[in-house]
Amino acid sequence: MKLALSLGRRRMGRTWPNPAVGCVIVKDGRVLGRGYTQSGGRPHAETVALAQAGTGARGAVAYVTLEPCAHHGQTPPCAEALIKAGIRRVVSAMEDPDPRVAGKGHALLRAANIDVDVGCLRALAAKDHAGFLLRATQTRPFVTLKLASSLDGRIATSSGESRWITGPEARRLGQYLRATHDAVMVGAGTARADDPLLTVRDLGVRHQPVRVVCDTSLSVRRDSRLAQSVGTAPLWVCHGQGLPSAKTDIWRDSEVKLIACARASGGLDLEDVLRRLASQGLTRIYCEGGGHLAASLLALDAVDQLVIFSAGLALGASGVPSVAELPEQALDEFSRFQLQDSREIGGDVVSFWRKP
């Protein structure tokens, strides 16, 4: 199952709206087939592993990181494929909460006299499939908030200079993290100030995540690098509902997707933003700021994972804080995250924190 989970992780960011599942087929102590969900969500991991195993799958054991699907979609159900291949036992990490599956896959297997064991490394699987599970049960994606700051929590000098606080090794890891998420999200202020590309570079991968800008007034420019590179990577702009047609009409002939979202407190209702992004199929979002968007997500308690890059310098109180002002509340009312990992990277330190 550890091998199956590692296979699934290879496809994170590439399989939405489907989960990044891994599958391993074993017989007589030998691995006969390995598979993971392919780009765009199909073929499924079980189909790939069964194709590798061929006729050797008869009488074998299949280890899969999520319950095999039981519904007819663009492809036949994986549960039926496992039955047809003659698998004698299926070990799955957890049930699929999707109501189209939700126990039906395991029931199909058992009805065909296949032994089914559920729960092997369930906690690890739930962690890997967190985005898919949240979308299926709460209609929202898994949100990772990345902050790259000085030791005193500043992301820029008082003049706005921010390139580069962290070193090349940390920035390369940041590129990898982009690649493992379905989308990269920034606020309108960051889009205007930095004119970023938000693409995955220098990793030798062709896949690009969706780029999302939260822009209440639809202020992103047609000549920005984001808009000009839409042929390389998708660009979605979440704007406030009720904008005058003059604001939206200039984008009609572009490939940019405009998503009208509810407003709240003079900006976007981020709960509605996340719900709408989930309805578009996104399961994992990597937020790169700025400080106001970071504060809004934290205030909403919508951050599932924090990735903190700390550089070995201090910029002082006049620097730009990594997180803008949060609503005043008692100390024990603030969300706490649990440290998962911390390590040196180049001359910087990166730490990973997750919501309990």
Side-chain angles (χ1 to χ4, degrees):
M1 187 61 77
K2 286 182 178 178
L3 174 57
L5 287 166
S6 72
L7 290 171
R9 290 186 200 113
R10 297 182 186 182
R11 309 308 292 174
M12 283 185 173
R14 304 189 187 192
T15 66
W16 65 275
N18 288 352
V21 175
C23 178
V24 178
I25 303 211
V26 180
K27 185 165 70 174
D28 299 329
R30 294 179 56 225
V31 173
L32 302 181
R34 311 178 191 209
Y36 43 67
T37 311
Q38 299 297 294
S39 296
R42 291 179 177 80
H44 291 182
E46 297 95 323
T47 302
V48 176
L50 286 171
Q52 276 192 14
T55 58
R58 184 161 299 279
V61 179
Y63 294 84
V64 61
T65 64
L66 189 67
E67 178 181 5
C69 62
H71 61 285
H72 286 267
Q74 297 182 27
T75 56
C78 290
E80 290 185 3
L82 292 165
I83 294 168
K84 185 178 179 180
I87 292 290
R88 70 171 179 84
R89 179 176 173 234
V90 172
V91 180
S92 70
M94 62 185 302
E95 283 192 353
D96 186 337
D98 187 322
R100 297 171 300 174
V101 184
K104 299 182 182 72
H106 291 150
L108 272 177
L109 296 169
R110 290 186 175 112
N113 295 317
I114 294 175
D115 292 332
V116 178
D117 294 316
V118 183
C120 179
L121 300 185
R122 185 195 303 271
L124 289 178
K127 185 176 179 180
D128 286 355
H129 295 314
F132 173 76
L133 300 176
L134 283 170
R135 181 173 179 267
T137 60
Q138 300 182 31
T139 322
R140 76 169 183 87
F142 181 89
V143 175
T144 295
L145 174 60
K146 168 243 182 174
L147 301 172
S149 67
S150 60
L151 292 174
D152 54 345
R154 306 291 160 170
I155 57 174
T157 64
S158 57
S159 65
E161 183 183 359
S162 62
R163 296 185 179 179
W164 296 100
I165 287 179
T166 55
E169 295 88 350
R171 297 198 297 273
R172 185 174 177 82
L173 177 57
Q175 293 285 325
Y176 167 77
L177 291 171
R178 282 182 183 176
T180 61
H181 287 73
D182 307 343
V184 180
M185 184 166 72
V186 297
T190 297
R192 290 192 300 267
D194 296 347
D195 193 20
L197 274 175
L198 300 181
T199 52
V200 176
R201 301 181 295 277
D202 304 324
L203 295 184
V205 298
R206 296 193 305 178
H207 162 76
Q208 291 293 340
V210 175
R211 299 166 304 164
V212 177
V213 180
C214 293
D215 188 357
T216 309
S217 60
L218 196 52
S219 62
V220 64
R221 295 171 55 92
R222 281 290 300 261
D223 61 355
S224 67
R225 295 208 299 167
L226 283 168
Q228 293 298 309
S229 59
V230 71
T232 301
L235 175 62
W236 299 358
V237 181
C238 295
H239 63 85
Q241 293 172 341
L243 288 181
S245 57
K247 279 276 192 178
T248 57
D249 285 350
I250 62 173
W251 295 96
R252 287 190 184 280
D253 62 343
S254 76
E255 298 178 63
V256 176
K257 177 182 287 191
L258 302 184
I259 303 176
C261 302
R263 297 169 180 259
S265 303
L268 291 177
D269 181 340
L270 286 180
E271 189 171 6
D272 186 56
V273 169
L274 294 176
R275 184 166 51 247
R276 291 179 184 273
L277 292 176
S279 72
Q280 295 290 326
L282 297 182
T283 66
R284 290 167 54 83
I285 292 180
Y286 185 62
C287 179
E288 295 197 13
H292 290 285
L293 181 57
S296 297
L297 288 168
L298 287 167
L300 187 62
D301 197 24
V303 176
D304 302 289
Q305 177 175 239
L306 278 169
V307 180
I308 311 294
F309 291 92
S310 299
L313 77 166
L315 299 181
S318 62
V320 180
S322 59
V323 178
E325 185 175 352
L326 287 167
E328 186 173 343
Q329 55 189 355
L331 184 61
D332 61 2
E333 294 178 308
F334 285 91
S335 296
R336 286 191 180 269
F337 295 80
Q338 293 181 346
L339 181 64
Q340 304 292 303
D341 184 26
S342 181
R343 59 182 181 269
E344 183 180 354
I345 179 165
D348 308 308
V349 172
V350 61
S351 55
F352 294 81
W353 303 75
R354 284 186 78 132
K355 187 181 293 182

